[in-house]
């Protein structure tokens, strides 16, 4: 029996040793089926728009339209997410640095995991326990989160082979509410209410999508009314944009009341009595001053006054709204977060809700604002004055119409004519409407434009600084 058992025992011992050896050896890595975010690159892009006073208003007299531009590189060759947040030049490097500070909380994540748990990434950024002290959920840190999250949504849409608006439209109501943070707004809008609203609008989605593809979303222009433009230039530009089919025009006010009165006459005469005229004071006035000045400008029949006072003064906006009705109050382009929008809506302080694609934390927070505005019956008229903003808001305006509001009453989206040539799939505003985006993703700046206008070592800035003899200033 011993002779028979010996070989069997030896074989068992050898098998045991082999098993231990196999367990000790590192497991062979299976091919990675997921798309990993490998790196986060940030570029400081600045365009010298102050040369021609494009974008000038009562507060920002010589802006250089700029953006902190985020590129998420992935494990899939050629697949990148691009996102930006807008600024006016100096200080752009601060936002860029903040974007880099968030990189460790993004790099290494898998896109497929983000797609089914957007709030996981959203909270990792917005509620990062040390960086949130710089906000929380406001200012530079929130704008940096917005740039990164814009890049993430761009990446998701590209992976799906769809423009962002179509990617979001194709999500189910159940999927959409999982992309939204309802914290701090549940007293106005709960997750259950949002789901019910989205489900109620679902039957008309296909028809509204077809309408947008066919007709586009109504646009207005600010490009004829910058504060630094002469009366002659305003008249000429008004005629140019009327010929292009636009019927809504916005002008800047707030620097000097006598000039505002004169320019209002020029603008109203140029566009005629039947087209809409809007005014934008860019936060210049005190509450009482805004009320008094708008009464003096009422002769021009303005549809709204935008940012009449401090953007954080909800009660001030409400007082102005009561005093100047039926002229509407519009604001939102620098509203810090969804809570500010919630309070503006609760206080009946605005007739027009102006979302901005780069001020808050990406499309997730925008969706929350759109749903609150729809529940409160307030028209959404997106802001789009800066570089890349037109390219972004065409997606958001169409998402709002197709999925959420279902109406075009009093809806119009800002457009400007500057800097579109620097983007793949630049905006098409023709016949008075934004046409649908067709390229997969959200928006992407051309590589040659980034190389030319990156500050301070892009070719344009090297040449400009050498010519002026100045040193590069942040």
């Amino acid at each position: 029996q011993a002779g028979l058992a010996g070989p069997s025992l030896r074989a068992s011992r050898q098998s045991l040793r082999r098993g231990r050896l196999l367990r000790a050896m590192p497991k062979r890595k299976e091919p990675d089926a997921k798309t990993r975010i490998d790196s986060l690159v940030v570029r400081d892009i600045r365009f010298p728009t102050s040369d021609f006073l494009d974008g000038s208003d009562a507060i920002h007299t010589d802006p250089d339209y700029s953006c902190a531009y985020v590129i998420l590189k992935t494990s899939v060759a050629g697949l990148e997410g691009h996102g930006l947040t807008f600024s006016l030049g100096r200080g752009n490097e601060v936002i860029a640095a903040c974007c880099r500070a968030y990189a460790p909380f993004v790099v290494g994540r898998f896109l497929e995991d983000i797609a089914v748990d957007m709030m996981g990434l959203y909270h990792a950024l917005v509620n990062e326990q040390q960086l949130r002290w710089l906000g929380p959920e406001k200012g530079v840190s929130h704008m940096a989160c917005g740039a990164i999250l814009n890049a993430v949504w761009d990446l998701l849409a590209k992976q799906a082979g769809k423009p962002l608006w179509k990617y979001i439209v194709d999500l189910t109501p159940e999927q959409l509410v999982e992309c939204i943070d309802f914290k701090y707004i549940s007293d106005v809008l709960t997750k259950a209410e949002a789901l019910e609203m989205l489900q109620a609008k679902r039957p008309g989605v296909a028809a509204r999508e077809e309408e947008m593809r066919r007709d586009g979303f109504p646009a207005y222009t600010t490009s004829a009314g910058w504060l630094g433009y002469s009366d002659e230039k305003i008249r000429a530009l008004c005629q140019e944009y009327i010929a292009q089919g636009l019927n809504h025009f916005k002008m800047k006010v707030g620097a000097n009341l006598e000039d505002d009165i004169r320019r209002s006459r020029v603008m109203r005469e140029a566009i005629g009595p039947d087209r809409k005229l809007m005014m934008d004071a860019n936060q210049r006035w005190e509450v009482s001053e805004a009320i008094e000045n708008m009464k003096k400008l009422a002769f021009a029949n303005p549809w709204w006054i935008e940012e009449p006072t401090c953007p954080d003064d909800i009660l001030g906006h409400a007082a102005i709204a009561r005093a100047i009705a039926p002229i509407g109050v519009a604001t939102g382009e620098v509203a810090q977060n969804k809570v500010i929008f919630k309070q503006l809506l609760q206080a009946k302080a605005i007739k027009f809700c102006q979302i901005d694609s780069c001020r808050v934390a990406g499309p997730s927070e925008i969706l929350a604002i759109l749903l609150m505005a729809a529940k409160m019956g307030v028209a959404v008229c997106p802001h789009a004055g800066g570089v890349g903003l037109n390219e972004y808001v065409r997606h958001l305006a169409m998402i709002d119409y197709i999925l959420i509001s279902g109406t075009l009453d009093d809806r119009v989206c800002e457009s400007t004519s500057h800097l579109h040539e620097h983007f793949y799939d630049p905006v098409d505003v023709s016949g008075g409407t934004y046409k649908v985006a067709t390229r997969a993703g959200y928006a992407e700046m051309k590589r040659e434009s980034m190389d030319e206008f990156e500050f301070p070592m892009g070719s344009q800035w090297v040449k400009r600084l050498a010519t002026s003899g100045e040193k590069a200033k942040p």
Side-chain angles (χ1 to χ4, degrees), residues 227 231 251-266 297:
L227 198 64
D231 294 354
M251 61 176 292
K252 299 292 184 175
V253 297
N256 179 281
L257 181 59
E258 291 183 3
D259 287 345
D260 292 342
I261 291 171
R262 187 195 76 254
R263 292 172 64 253
S264 297
R265 287 200 178 97
V266 169
L297 292 168

Side-chain angles (χ1 to χ4, degrees), residues 431-467:
T433 64
Y434 270 96
K435 302 305 184 280
V436 297
T438 57
R439 190 175 191 265
Y442 202 178
E444 183 174 337
M445 189 178 289
K446 295 177 180 178
R447 300 305 173 99
E448 56 267 31
S449 294
M450 287 190 266
D451 292 342
E452 189 174 0
F453 289 98
E454 185 165 17
F455 187 88
M457 298 309 295
S459 58
Q460 271 287 341
W461 287 107
V462 168
K463 182 170 61 177
R464 289 173 67 88
L465 294 169
T467 301

Side-chain angles (χ1 to χ4, degrees), residues 42-50 54-57 60 62-70 83-96 99 139-148 150 226 252 280 282-283 306-307 332-334 355-362 383-393 414 416 418-420 423 442 445:
V42 188
R43 304 184 71 169
D44 180 345
I45 309 298
R46 308 188 192 188
F47 297 93
T49 50
S50 59
D54 297 336
S56 55
D57 61 52
H60 316 98
D62 61 347
D64 284 333
Y65 277 7
S66 305
C67 62
Y69 196 92
V70 171
L84 62 85
T85 192
F86 171 66
S87 81
L88 298 183
R90 288 184 296 274
N92 202 51
E93 75 283 357
V94 179
I95 308 174
C99 290
V140 167
S141 63
H142 212 45
M143 293 168 73
C145 288
I148 294 167
N150 284 340
W226 299 119
K252 299 292 184 175
D280 184 356
N282 287 97
Q283 317 152 34
E306 182 174 330
E307 289 196 311
E333 72 176 84
V334 296
I355 56 168
D356 182 274
S357 56
C358 293
R359 178 63 60 166
V360 299
H383 165 256
V387 58
L389 302 192
N390 289 245
E391 280 69 24
Y392 275 172
V393 296
E414 184 172 22
T416 58
H418 316 296
L419 307 176
H420 304 306
F423 288 85
Y442 202 178
M445 189 178 289

Side-chain angles (χ1 to χ4, degrees), residues 61-83:
T61 55
D62 61 347
D64 284 333
Y65 277 7
S66 305
C67 62
Y69 196 92
V70 171
I71 303 172
L72 300 177
K73 299 189 176 184
T74 74
S75 56
V76 176
L79 180 63
E80 297 179 345
H82 289 239

Side-chain angles (χ1 to χ4, degrees), residues 57-58 111 161 258 270 284 331 368:
D57 61 52
L111 194 56
E258 291 183 3
R284 183 63 184 261
T331 201

